Amino acid sequence: MILYIAVAVVTVFLGMLVNNRCIRQNGTISRQQMLNTLSLLSVFLILFALSACRLNVGNDYAKYVEFMHLINCDAFVPTEMGFNGIVKVLYGVSGFENYLLVFAFFAFFTILLFLAAIYRQADSFGFSFFLFMAFGYYFQSFNTVRYYLALAIALYAIPYVLKKQWGRFILLILLGSTLHKSLLVVIPLYILASLPWKKWQLGIAAVFCSTFFFMQDFYLKVVVFLYPTYEDTEYLEGGTSLINIVRCLGVFLLALFVWWLGRKKKEKASARNRFYFYCNLGALVMYVCCSFLPIISRIGYYLTITHIFFLPALLLGVENRKLRRFLTAGVVGAALLYFGIFILMKAGNDGLRILPYETFMFHDMVPILSDVN
């Protein structure tokens, strides 16, 4: 726990030194750009080292090692062809079942894409990176490594949606779906969030969402059709998160309040902020109405990841300096509380099991199912 807190504090401090809005002048590299490079490289190396050196940290670590073993033996596994191909190549290059290299590979590209996405999209790299760490996205990437690389790809693809570069967006998502097919849901979700919805259209959408309450069996059949391996498993039990509902509701109310403050200017929200708003609204609807769907949080995370950009953008829209500082302090305090609950109450649970931290340098891998049999 102390290690995770220390890593979060150090990397957030380094992230605060980054100014992702500085512009190179006269072809020369400024002192700030040098500082950006050093800080970003340091953040990347710290996060990568912690993730790549872990051993049996994460509730599905041993399951992934088992999958990799089966892939190497040409046995059937429920993972996607992109993941299977990566395992085959890395095991072939290593000459043995080097699962540590596979986890390091996924950690490298997951962290790289997250940092690249934050750097090019955030109004303030430091603030957005703080929210990224405080909301637990980095530490949760120790689980379901395929999914979190897919999540990083989704975040990186958002500018293509905002610029309506649909070809690049869909191509990137299709490529990422070879690692985790849940990524395909962002194609309709992000397209819907980018639309300038009218009030009557939102009303129709609300009526449609009401069907989730009395057509649950139908939607579960659709899920089983898309994910046949979920049939007759614990994955169909569903479930939602009260904390995520509260968080989405808080962001929703903050957005309405900030836009109410600027009502006299009669300025419409930017396309980017409107996209973030509808992503948050969609996540709130899912968490409230679709709790019966399996692993609804995975779909919701594709939408709530935008909070790391939306919250700083909202606060920048508050002209009153004292009010902006007050609201910023509230957002920071809420994020720290979220991080505290995550580390103290959830990190060691069976659903995550990222505590205690263990490394291959001092610990041995537990036997996998194939070893036992």
Side-chain angles (χ1 to χ4, degrees):
M1 182 188 307
I2 296 176
L3 175 63
Y4 290 166
I5 294 174
V7 165
V9 170
V10 171
T11 55
V12 167
F13 172 76
L14 291 170
M16 292 295 178
L17 302 178
V18 175
N19 178 5
N20 59 317
R21 295 304 173 187
C22 67
I23 301 174
R24 180 179 295 186
Q25 297 179 348
N26 301 324
T28 60
I29 299 177
S30 67
R31 183 177 299 178
Q32 180 60 55
Q33 288 171 324
M34 287 291 293
L35 183 60
N36 284 355
T37 301
L38 292 174
S39 298
L40 287 170
L41 181 60
S42 299
V43 169
F44 175 82
L45 290 176
I46 292 172
L47 297 183
F48 173 69
L50 187 69
S51 183
C53 292
R54 77 189 192 278
L55 180 72
N56 200 28
V57 176
N59 67 338
D60 56 0
Y61 191 100
K63 182 182 293 186
Y64 266 109
V65 175
E66 171 73 11
F67 283 162
M68 295 175 202
H69 171 72
L70 294 175
I71 291 169
N72 195 47
C73 297
D74 295 321
F76 171 78
V77 289
T79 49
E80 290 79 1
M81 63 178 182
F83 175 77
N84 300 348
I86 291 171
V87 172
K88 279 279 192 180
V89 170
L90 294 180
Y91 274 20
V93 171
S94 300
F96 66 101
E97 296 192 357
N98 191 351
Y99 53 85
L100 291 174
L101 180 60
V102 178
F103 283 111
F105 176 92
F106 276 84
F108 181 93
F109 286 102
T110 300
I111 297 167
L112 181 66
L113 286 175
F114 271 131
L115 291 180
I118 296 172
Y119 187 83
R120 75 170 183 160
Q121 296 180 55
D123 290 317
S124 167
F125 179 90
F127 199 174
S128 290
F129 180 74
F130 161 74
L131 294 174
F132 170 75
M133 295 297 291
F135 289 152
Y137 291 113
Y138 166 69
F139 294 108
Q140 291 189 79
S141 69
F142 293 178
N143 287 295
T144 54
V145 294
R146 293 178 300 124
Y147 169 76
Y148 275 91
L149 179 52
L151 182 63
I153 292 171
L155 189 68
Y156 189 83
I158 286 177
Y160 298 135
V161 177
L162 299 177
K163 296 176 183 177
K164 300 188 184 303
Q165 297 175 341
W166 302 117
R168 293 184 179 183
F169 167 66
I170 293 176
L171 182 62
L172 184 57
I173 297 305
L174 291 177
L175 179 63
S177 68
T178 64
L179 300 173
H180 204 285
K181 59 186 174 183
S182 70
L183 183 59
L184 292 173
V185 302
V186 305
I187 294 178
L189 291 179
Y190 283 5
I191 291 176
L192 288 172
S194 68
L195 299 177
W197 289 79
K198 306 295 184 182
K199 291 182 179 179
W200 65 270
Q201 293 172 325
L202 291 173
I204 293 176
V207 173
F208 170 76
C209 291
S210 67
T211 63
F212 289 116
F213 292 107
F214 55 84
M215 295 178 60
Q216 295 184 3
D217 291 339
F218 168 76
Y219 289 116
L220 282 174
K221 290 179 180 178
V222 172
V223 170
V224 171
F225 174 77
L226 296 174
Y227 292 89
T229 55
Y230 282 1
E231 190 170 10
D232 298 325
T233 68
E234 70 276 8
Y235 293 116
L236 286 182
E237 293 178 0
T240 190
S241 170
L242 180 60
I243 292 179
N244 284 329
I245 292 175
V246 172
R247 179 174 134 192
C248 291
L249 182 60
V251 173
F252 176 77
L253 294 176
L254 177 63
L256 293 183
F257 176 68
V258 171
W259 290 340
W260 178 79
L261 289 176
R263 68 193 184 283
K264 293 182 180 179
K265 290 187 174 182
K266 296 182 179 180
E267 294 181 357
K268 294 183 178 180
S270 66
R272 185 187 62 160
N273 284 354
R274 188 176 63 236
F275 172 81
Y276 296 153
F277 176 81
Y278 285 130
C279 280
N280 179 73
L281 181 61
L284 181 59
V285 170
M286 285 185 180
Y287 287 133
V288 173
C289 302
C290 306
S291 60
F292 64 94
L293 292 177
I295 318 179
I296 189 64
S297 61
R298 291 190 181 182
I299 300 175
Y301 274 20
Y302 285 125
L303 300 174
T304 60
I305 188 67
T306 60
H307 288 174
I308 67 175
F309 300 139
F310 192 29
L311 288 170
L314 284 174
L315 295 172
L316 284 175
V318 179
E319 293 186 349
N320 186 295
R321 183 177 299 181
K322 290 185 178 180
L323 180 59
R324 183 169 64 247
R325 289 178 176 175
F326 174 78
L327 293 175
T328 300
V331 169
V332 170
L336 290 174
L337 178 62
Y338 190 99
F339 181 73
I341 294 174
F342 172 76
I343 290 295
L344 296 176
M345 300 177 62
K346 297 179 63 178
N349 293 348
D350 291 338
L352 289 175
R353 215 182 62 75
I354 61 175
L355 282 175
Y357 181 80
E358 296 180 353
T359 172
F360 67 87
M361 291 179 283
F362 304 109
H363 301 87
D364 296 321
M365 181 61 193
V366 298
I368 60 175
L369 185 61
S370 295
D371 295 332
V372 175
N373 293 338

